[in-house]
Amino acid sequence: MRTSLLPVSWIPAFLFLTMAFPAAADGGERSPDPVIAAAPGDSVAADSADVEPELDLDLGGALRFNVLFEEFDRTNRQKTGEFTFDTFRVNADGTYGDLFFSAEYRFYAGYRFLHSGYAGYEVQDDLDVRVGVHQVPFGVQPYFSNSWFFNLAYYAGFEDDYDAGLKVRYTPGNWTLIGAYYMNAEQTGFAGGTTFARYSFDVVPATTDDLGYAGLEADRFNQEINQFNGKVAYTLEAGGTSTTFSVSGQTGQLYNRSTTGTERHWATSVDLDGQYGRFNLRLGLIRYEMRPPGTTGPGRDAVVMAAYNAPYRVASKGRFYSGGLAYNLPVDLGPISRFRFYNDVSYHDKAPDAWVDGASNITGILTSAGPLFIYTDFLVTRNHPFSLPASDFGSALAEGSEEWNVAFNMNLGLYF
């Protein structure tokens, strides 16, 4: 990716972040998924400043498959489930002195995209700056969910979201302070691409040809721009346990490429992430509102979002309530070293009272065996967009339906 000078619109954001975080941050966020978090190299001693740093490069990737059983899909039932290709990805992570970088590209059936890609600099031990496509600092990170399917908030862009911009992370003691500015989402070209192929869900342009079946009555030309994020977290440690309390906020613009008008979107999150021996507890509340420009009447009740090459409509205002409980059990069973038992629950409270709220309960086990990670999930859901009949996909997070659906999935991932 070719890099140009920062546009004038970035200057206030850069000055704000520079003044807000005067001292320094750790070189990367932890990741239970075997994606390497950037770890800055050792600083060069003052008396050897002329020594050339060494490039430390780690290449890797993953190959994943799904074994899926869906009671609501007649074809799937008749075939007694399906064994399907999920993902192939390649990763490059490394350091060069105090510089660090990371990139990930993913391939799915019929489409592909850049998942993330950024370069960063470790200013000092507890401060770093990174620029590129990276994780938005919002909520529990790197993931709130334990399951492979994620909670409902992920499908509205509020968990494990990636956008294009600048982020500063400062970690003094038990505190974590993060500020970020995102010029736009991670679409191809970084300047208004219309592709739906991306990893995390964003507001995107779409036509009635794409979503007329799901209630879209007119073409939409909206996209996300100029988003500011802030997150404050504090970790309380006592008796071998730790509890992290965090508050996150974001605000930005939705830009209409047809009218050139803009409207505001915002979201806030309050979270708890506790580690108590082998147990992990997570609780979260998200409030959000998105005001689509160029839209009037009932059409303002929903925005169009997309990822994984598929668009759908999402209630433009609401709340997400989420919780998760997990238990880690170390074992010595041949290659198997750990079982992680979990239960994730989430609820989508949509602002229009006439719309049917979403709900999800996912019970599962993560099995770790060297480079092999197996998620085994049992889902009971209502208006979960990836666990219902295809005809309901486009409106699951909008009007929704009263139907409950049951599914069973195993995701087998080989990480190298």
Side-chain angles (χ1 to χ4, degrees):
M1 179 182 68
R2 187 171 57 190
T3 304
S4 60
L5 294 176
L6 291 175
V8 173
S9 63
W10 280 48
I11 293 175
F14 180 79
L15 293 176
F16 167 77
L17 293 169
T18 303
M19 291 185 293
F21 302 98
D26 191 17
E29 293 137 53
R30 64 184 179 85
S31 177
D33 197 0
V35 179
I36 297 171
D42 296 332
S43 300
V44 179
D47 59 356
S48 59
D50 57 341
V51 176
E52 184 75 11
E54 291 186 1
L55 174 65
D56 183 5
L57 178 64
D58 197 328
L59 301 177
L63 176 64
R64 304 195 309 214
F65 296 91
N66 277 329
V67 181
L68 179 62
F69 301 89
E70 298 172 322
E71 58 82 23
F72 51 85
D73 187 316
R74 181 180 179 183
T75 301
N76 185 278
R77 289 201 316 269
Q78 290 175 339
K79 295 191 298 182
T80 321
E82 291 183 299
F83 191 112
T84 62
F85 167 73
D86 173 28
T87 315
F88 177 74
R89 78 185 198 199
V90 290
N91 302 80
D93 300 87
T95 62
Y96 182 77
D98 291 329
L99 295 173
F100 57 93
F101 57 87
S102 178
E104 180 176 319
Y105 201 83
R106 294 193 174 192
F107 300 83
Y108 290 79
Y111 59 97
R112 59 189 184 275
F113 52 75
L114 178 72
H115 169 275
S116 57
Y118 60 85
Y121 178 69
E122 183 190 25
V123 181
Q124 58 188 53
D125 289 345
D126 56 359
L127 174 67
D128 75 34
V129 181
R130 62 190 68 189
V131 62
V133 176
H134 43 67
Q135 191 179 52
V136 174
F138 191 86
V140 174
Q141 295 188 302
Y143 312 107
F144 186 101
S145 306
N146 295 288
S147 69
W148 181 81
F149 269 91
F150 285 100
N151 283 326
L152 290 172
Y154 169 75
Y155 299 96
F158 297 119
E159 181 180 351
D160 200 24
D161 184 27
Y162 285 77
D163 289 328
L166 173 74
K167 179 166 67 174
V168 178
R169 175 181 164 98
Y170 178 42
T171 57
N174 290 350
W175 290 92
T176 297
L177 310 174
I178 309 176
Y181 167 73
Y182 296 98
M183 206 170 179
N184 47 247
E186 70 275 26
Q187 65 264 27
T188 303
F190 289 11
T194 59
T195 179
F196 302 139
R198 62 188 69 202
Y199 169 72
S200 52
F201 288 85
D202 304 300
V203 175
V204 297
T207 68
T208 54
D209 289 340
D210 301 315
L211 278 174
Y213 80 96
L216 187 66
E217 297 179 351
D219 294 349
R220 295 288 185 96
F221 302 96
N222 300 323
Q223 66 183 89
E224 300 172 11
I225 63 171
N226 297 329
Q227 178 174 304
F228 290 86
N229 278 78
K231 178 179 177 179
V232 177
Y234 181 78
T235 300
L236 179 64
E237 298 175 334
T241 68
S242 68
T243 305
T244 299
F245 303 93
S246 62
V247 178
S248 310
Q250 68 182 37
T251 185
Q253 293 175 302
L254 296 181
Y255 170 73
N256 188 293
R257 292 163 49 190
S258 175
T259 67
T260 70
T262 61
E263 292 263 16
R264 184 66 53 184
H265 71 87
W266 62 266
T268 59
S269 177
V270 179
D271 299 278
L272 178 150
D273 183 9
Q275 192 66 47
Y276 311 112
R278 294 181 179 177
F279 286 95
N280 175 256
L281 173 66
R282 294 171 185 166
L283 300 171
L285 166 64
I286 295 171
R287 296 183 60 198
Y288 74 92
E289 182 175 359
M290 297 177 273
R291 304 167 186 168
T295 308
T296 59
R300 289 179 65 86
D301 288 339
V303 295
V304 176
M305 305 189 77
Y308 297 102
N309 211 32
Y312 52 53
R313 296 168 57 244
V314 179
S316 57
K317 184 178 181 180
R319 294 180 175 88
F320 287 98
Y321 303 90
S322 301
L325 181 64
Y327 179 79
N328 289 292
L329 179 63
V331 296
D332 185 8
L333 297 173
I336 301 175
S337 60
R338 184 186 66 153
F339 292 113
R340 181 177 176 88
F341 303 91
Y342 53 80
N343 194 88
D344 289 341
V345 295
S346 57
Y347 189 86
H348 184 194
D349 180 8
K350 304 169 185 176
D353 292 336
W355 290 7
V356 181
D357 293 343
S360 173
N361 187 92
I362 304 176
T363 304
I365 305 171
L366 171 60
T367 303
S368 304
L372 185 65
F373 291 79
I374 302 173
Y375 287 88
T376 305
D377 291 333
F378 178 71
L379 298 84
V380 180
T381 62
R382 184 179 67 185
N383 295 322
H384 188 300
F386 282 83
S387 183
L388 44 59
S391 59
D392 294 334
F393 175 84
S395 59
L397 294 178
E399 292 90 347
S401 76
E402 295 284 358
E403 296 295 321
W404 287 87
N405 298 291
V406 176
F408 172 84
N409 185 73
M410 291 183 67
N411 183 265
L412 302 98
L414 177 65
Y415 296 82
F416 52 87

